[in-house]
Structures are given as structure tokens and as C-alpha cells.
Amino acid sequence: MSETTHSAPPVVRFATSPDRYRHWKLEVDGAVATVTLRVDEHGGLVPGYELKMNSYDLGVDIELYDLVQRLRFEHPEVKAVVVTGGLERMFCAGANIRMLAQSTHAWKVNFCKFTNETRNGIEDATEHSGQTWIAALNGTAAGGGYELALACDQIVLVDDGSSAVSLPEVPLLGVLPGTGGLTRVVDKRHVRKDRADLFATKSEGFRGRTAVEWGLVDASVPRNALDEEVARRAAAAAATSRRPSGAKGVALTPLDRKDEGDTITYPYLSARIDRAGRLVEITVTGPHDAPPADPAAQGADYWPLAVTRALDDLILHLRTNELDLGIWVLRAAGDHERVLAYDAQLREMAGDWFVNEVRHYYKRTLKRLDVTSRSLIAVIEPGTAFAGLLAELALAADRQYMLEGVYEDRDDDAALPLHGYAPPPPVPATIVLTLSNDGDYPMGNGLSRLQSRFWGHDDDLQAVRARLGEPLDAAAAVELGLVTLALDDIDFEEELRIVLEERASLSPDALTGMEANHRFVGPETLETKIFGRLTAWQNWIFIRPNASGPDGALRRYGTGRKGDYDLGRV
């Protein structure tokens, strides 16, 4: 994976399970779960580095993501989660520096993005699942280790005269803390900006009383009092949780995924790769049956959960392993009414713990799509199921193209053969928006995708709201501003071909920057700062010689030599 040898990175699989964990241990005791990080030094995802001092790579974080998901779905009884370190006097040393130094630029970027999303998922669990995360720092938490603690609701640091919290990336590595540390210190923990500046340039960080006084941690206690203090906080958090005490968890069974050549299929999702066109055609399929009376009884087969798990896995796979596929064409197929029935159930049963988890998982997966650096094009044709929750996929796209009427002269037997659904009936396409599109699945900016689409145009937003629940044909969709362009069958396929070819000819770097700027309008939040401001700067810094050049700080770390810097400001 060296940038000088251009070694091919491995194909990464994101599906795992507790029986395969190498780095994390989960223990559940009633309402409190304890997750312990004890990294297998020789368990790196790729050769070339050892994960010493509880440092982590992508493989460690894949396990953490799986663990967070399973706690939410499989353990409704858990109301507080304690995360601690399994090494003596060391919580976590952060991202493994040798791994970063030898990785390609794309690998670094995707690693940081996934890690950020996982930390956001921890905060989401505290806010929306009633599972309060508490960091029990049994030793030093440096860099990404402290950033993991920052994602927790509370931080307790052992006061032993040596353990500290620190963000040493700027002084030691010439890069930024890549997992939200700079943002959370000032925005979440409200550390005064001059103190935050001093903290982020003091490589050894701060211990005990100073860390508490500055707000870097919530408490610092002697080692013999750490367990008692953390247990007290976990019990207090559990006492205020809305999680049900007697509910039975839902097992996240292994995904049913098939990879056959350039086609990937799941029960309700298919992806066809066109390498010549540098694109992938993704089709989500609606449910086969009406919603069940008891969603949790269906478990992982409950259609909204099955679709979400498949979409989540596909996004991660394509984003990490298929860097050349810069365009994702999104389609939805199936019965509008069945999709809308599930959409209504998700709203009506939002107070049910399981349905609540499904809703927030879908929200998080859509957010993952929002921050993915790919061009998203929604195609709306006869047989489409862009309704309710599936309409969010069309609203998430950078452009939407809709067919007016039906295909008059196309051979239906040959139409859309690999999209994962039967040829569409000769009925014009419609889209249906519902109340769920007006706030149930907010973006990282806190707005719905409808609000983001019509930012600054309140009259247009109100016009759409007045027609929620109504099937909208191409003319209505154009009038309301819900699609980019509507064309009849004479021009549709040719226009779409030209659009996709033009997109594929543009600079991927420029497109990434353009799309990220257009997708997130309006207010800035902690999330938009992390994925916009922080990520953008870090991506730039990662390719600068001061960090990643042969004499840069990132490459020289551990050699005893400091980086040689070009001291000119840009």
C-alpha cells in the first residue's frame, strides 16, 4: 500500500460479527455494557505495520462499527455503554501512524471518513437510542484515542500522575486530528479557543486537574476509584434511559450478498457495474408484501431494515473498493402502495424501540450517501418506487431525470435486464412524497432533503408540502421543482447517455468539491464541520510534502528525525 510502490490495497469487507472480533470484547451486565479495546498487534488489515499501544486501523474500526450496531439492535436492555482500554496504562494511542504513512491517499481519506461516521454513530446512539456512552480512560488517550472518547457523552480519566489526553497530530505529524477532535473540543466540550489552540499544539497533552478544569474530560479520579466512578455514572445514565427493559433483541444475521462478475445482488438491492462508463447502476426494490403487524418479529428480514443493511454495505464496498466508479445511477422499483404502507408504519410506530432503531439506521445510511464523493444521478422511469422513504434516495441525488409517459417502442424483454426487477408496466412514472420526507431523515446540516433543496425558497417548499401523499407525474414534478429534467421516450435515453458520458469526462477532484458544496446548504453543524471543513483541509494536508512527502513529518515519525517543512504559507 505504499505510495511509492503503488501496491494495490486489499478488497475490504465490512460485514463482521462478534465471534470474529480480534480487537474488541463486549460484556453485557443488565443495563450496562462494557466494551474493551485490546488491539491484536499482529491483526492489521494489511501487512507492514504492528498495531502497538492499542493503535487502530480500518479493521479495528470495522469491528467497532459492527459492535455499535449490534448494541442498538441486539441489546435493547442496554442503557449505558462503557468503553475502556485493555492495556496497562493505555486507553488508545489513536490511528496507527505507520499504517497512515504507507497508505495511499484514497485509503487515508476513506479510513478517516468511515471512522468519523462511526464516531457520529456513537453520538447518535446516545441521543436517539438511549444508550449513553461513557469513556473510562484507564490510561493515556492520544490522537484518535482521545477522539473516540470525545464521541462519548462523558469522559472519566484516571489520575495516576502520567495518563493524559492529547491531540498530537499537528506538532508531531504535520496533519490534523482526523476524526473530529478539533471540532468536538470547541463545539461539543466548549473548550475556550485559546486553550484549544494550546492543547492541539502540546504533544504531551494534559493530565488530571488541568484536563478537568479546561473541560477536556468530565472527571479525573485515582486508579482505585475509577471503576466505582464509572459505574456510578453508568447507573445514573441507565436510570434516565427510555430503552425498554423487557424487550427481546433482533439479531443482525449475516447479509445475503452475491457477487457475480460485475453484479452485486442482495434480496432488495442490485448493483451493475459498467467499468467502461465508470459508473454503477443501483436499483432498490420495494417490498413483496404488506407490513407485518409486529416488525420486530420479522427481525433482519423486515423490509426497511433489510434494504438499509444492504444499502449500507454496498455504499461502503463501492466507496472503498471501486474508486474508479465515479457515477452512481440510482433507481427504485416496485409497488408504490406497498412502499407507502411501510413508510406509514415507520411513522406510526416510531415510539417502538425496534422501529426507532430502523428509522435512525436508515437516516445514518442516507447521511453516508450524502458525504460519499460520487456523482449521484436518480433515474425515474415507469415502474419506479420513489415514494416515501425511498424518495429520499432521489432527493439525495445531485440530479434527477424523469421520463414523461412510457417507452413506446422499446423491447420490454430486453429492457433494464440487470436492474433487479421485472420490466416496468406501460404506466407513466410518478413519485410520491410524504411527511417522512419533511424531517424524519435529516441530513448532517439538520435539515430535511426537501428543506435543503428549496433553501431560500419557502414558497416552493410550501407548494411541495401542499401535495404530500399525491402521486406526481413528470409535469407536476417539473412544476414543483422536484426533478432536474423530464423528457419523452424519444429523447430520454439519449439525453441520459450524454449526461453520464459528460460527467465521466470531468475531473473527479473538481466534482468531489463541487458536489460537497452543493449538497449542504444552510446552517453549519458539528457534522458539516467535520465532513466539510475538517475533511476538506485534511485531504489537502494529506498530499502536501510537509506531511506526506519523503521528508514530511508523517513519514519521518518514529525515526527520531523531525519533518523538514516548506515554511511558506499557502
Side-chain angles (χ1 to χ4, degrees):
M1 288 189 49
S2 166
E3 289 180 321
T4 56
T5 61
H6 300 287
S7 299
V11 174
V12 180
R13 291 289 185 136
F14 288 85
T16 188
S17 56
D19 61 314
R20 296 162 56 193
Y21 292 173
R22 300 184 65 175
H23 312 292
W24 292 93
K25 179 181 179 182
L26 169 64
E27 298 174 292
V28 176
D29 182 8
V32 179
T34 300
V35 295
T36 304
L37 177 64
R38 188 180 181 89
V39 177
D40 179 352
E41 290 188 5
H42 305 292
L45 198 60
V46 297
Y49 54 85
E50 293 183 336
L51 297 172
K52 294 182 179 296
M53 300 176 65
N54 257 11
S55 60
Y56 61 84
D57 67 354
L58 181 60
V60 177
D61 233 60
I62 287 172
E63 291 183 6
L64 177 59
Y65 173 63
D66 183 79
L67 190 153
V68 175
Q69 292 290 87
R70 291 184 188 277
L71 279 169
R72 294 181 76 159
F73 281 97
E74 300 186 348
H75 294 281
E77 77 279 11
V78 169
K79 303 177 181 182
V81 182
V82 175
V83 57
T84 192
L87 298 184
E88 185 75 19
R89 299 182 181 274
M90 172 57 66
F91 173 70
C92 176
N96 187 272
I97 306 308
R98 294 193 182 280
M99 176 275 296
L100 286 175
Q102 75 178 44
S103 296
T104 64
H105 177 69
W107 186 274
K108 291 189 188 78
V109 171
N110 274 317
F111 165 71
C112 287
K113 183 172 287 187
F114 179 76
T115 306
N116 272 310
E117 290 168 328
T118 302
R119 305 302 180 270
N120 288 349
I122 289 173
E123 291 174 323
D124 191 78
T126 295
E127 181 178 0
H128 297 294
S129 290
Q131 287 185 333
T132 299
W133 280 64
I134 300 168
L137 305 186
N138 61 301
T140 290
Y146 179 51
E147 289 177 300
L148 172 58
L150 284 170
C152 297
D153 189 63
Q154 302 175 43
I155 306 173
V156 182
L157 171 66
V158 65
D159 188 0
D160 59 2
S162 62
S163 296
V165 294
S166 65
L167 292 176
E169 286 84 350
V170 170
L172 293 186
L173 306 174
V175 298
L176 302 179
T179 319
L182 297 181
T183 305
R184 286 188 174 90
V185 162
V186 291
D187 276 39
K188 181 178 180 179
R189 300 203 63 88
H190 308 296
V191 176
R192 214 172 66 200
K193 71 173 185 177
D194 58 330
R195 288 176 167 176
D197 187 285
L198 179 58
F199 174 61
T201 53
K202 186 178 176 68
S203 59
E204 65 268 31
F206 291 100
R207 302 187 296 270
R209 186 175 65 182
T210 302
V212 175
E213 179 187 346
W214 285 24
L216 298 167
V217 302
D218 295 291
S220 183
V221 298
R223 186 168 296 279
N224 61 8
L226 180 64
D227 290 345
E228 180 181 354
E229 174 65 15
V230 171
R232 181 188 68 78
R233 288 173 177 267
T240 63
S241 174
R242 61 186 180 277
R243 298 280 285 187
S245 297
K248 182 180 179 181
V250 171
L252 297 179
T253 53
L255 283 170
D256 180 9
R257 169 177 157 178
K258 294 181 176 62
D259 294 62
E260 300 174 341
D262 280 337
T263 301
I264 304 170
T265 58
Y266 308 80
Y268 299 102
L269 183 67
S270 67
R272 184 183 68 176
I273 293 172
D274 176 359
R275 298 196 183 280
R278 291 180 28 219
L279 60 84
V280 56
E281 301 196 56
I282 301 169
T283 299
V284 179
T285 306
H288 305 311
D289 302 300
D294 182 3
Q298 280 197 341
D301 293 328
Y302 182 56
W303 175 74
L305 178 56
V307 165
T308 301
R309 293 185 71 202
L311 185 61
D312 191 19
D313 185 70
L314 181 65
I315 291 171
L316 289 171
H317 169 76
L318 293 175
R319 198 167 74 180
T320 305
N321 301 311
E322 297 286 1
L323 303 184
D324 293 335
L325 305 179
I327 303 168
W328 294 2
V329 179
L330 305 175
R331 289 181 169 89
D335 187 305
H336 262 178
E337 296 303 322
R338 288 177 182 166
V339 174
L340 291 172
Y342 275 90
D343 182 78
Q345 184 179 66
L346 290 174
R347 287 188 57 82
E348 292 163 2
M349 297 184 65
D352 175 83
W353 80 269
F354 172 67
V355 172
N356 176 66
E357 291 299 350
V358 173
R359 284 161 53 93
H360 284 292
Y361 186 13
Y362 188 56
K363 173 198 70 179
R364 296 192 303 277
T365 301
L366 290 168
K367 285 185 176 184
R368 203 190 293 282
L369 188 63
D370 291 331
V371 299
T372 293
S373 59
R374 303 294 188 273
S375 298
L376 308 176
I377 307 294
V379 177
I380 307 170
E381 302 166 293
T384 188
F386 282 124
L389 72 160
L390 291 190
E392 286 294 305
L393 296 171
L395 293 171
D398 300 300
R399 298 187 196 175
Q400 304 80 19
Y401 290 88
M402 190 168 184
L403 178 68
E404 290 181 348
V406 299
Y407 292 109
E408 297 290 350
D409 300 318
R410 193 166 66 178
D411 178 3
D412 281 348
D413 290 336
L416 311 173
L418 291 177
H419 295 161
Y421 60 98
V427 177
T430 60
I431 58 175
V432 184
L433 302 183
T434 68
L435 286 170
S436 69
N437 302 118
D438 201 21
D440 284 5
Y441 309 108
M443 302 177 66
N445 57 10
L447 304 176
S448 71
R449 287 172 186 78
L450 274 182
Q451 289 174 306
S452 295
R453 186 178 189 85
F454 297 110
W455 182 251
H457 297 275
D458 291 345
D459 290 345
D460 293 339
L461 177 60
Q462 292 304 324
V464 172
R465 285 172 170 166
R467 301 183 71 172
L468 294 180
E470 177 184 338
L472 303 171
D473 62 14
V478 169
E479 178 188 358
L480 292 169
L482 293 171
V483 299
T484 307
L485 198 63
L487 295 166
D488 61 29
D489 73 307
I490 297 175
D491 300 317
F492 188 75
E493 291 185 315
E494 180 65 10
E495 177 68 22
L496 188 59
R497 181 190 65 79
I498 293 171
V499 165
L500 297 177
E501 289 181 356
E502 286 181 343
R503 196 76 172 192
S505 71
L506 300 176
S507 163
D509 299 331
L511 287 175
T512 293
M514 181 189 76
E515 291 154 359
N517 275 278
H518 289 165
R519 289 175 190 172
F520 295 94
V521 302
E524 191 169 38
T525 66
L526 187 146
E527 283 191 36
T528 62
K529 286 181 178 180
I530 288 173
F531 288 110
R533 184 189 305 176
L534 172 64
T535 299
W537 281 109
Q538 184 76 300
N539 290 358
W540 178 71
I541 292 168
F542 269 156
I543 60 173
R544 295 284 293 166
N546 286 344
S548 297
D551 300 318
L554 193 61
R555 289 189 175 274
R556 283 191 172 178
Y557 180 77
T559 67
R561 301 169 62 202
K562 294 184 66 175
D564 288 335
Y565 295 149
D566 176 350
L567 299 178
R569 290 270 188 153
V570 177

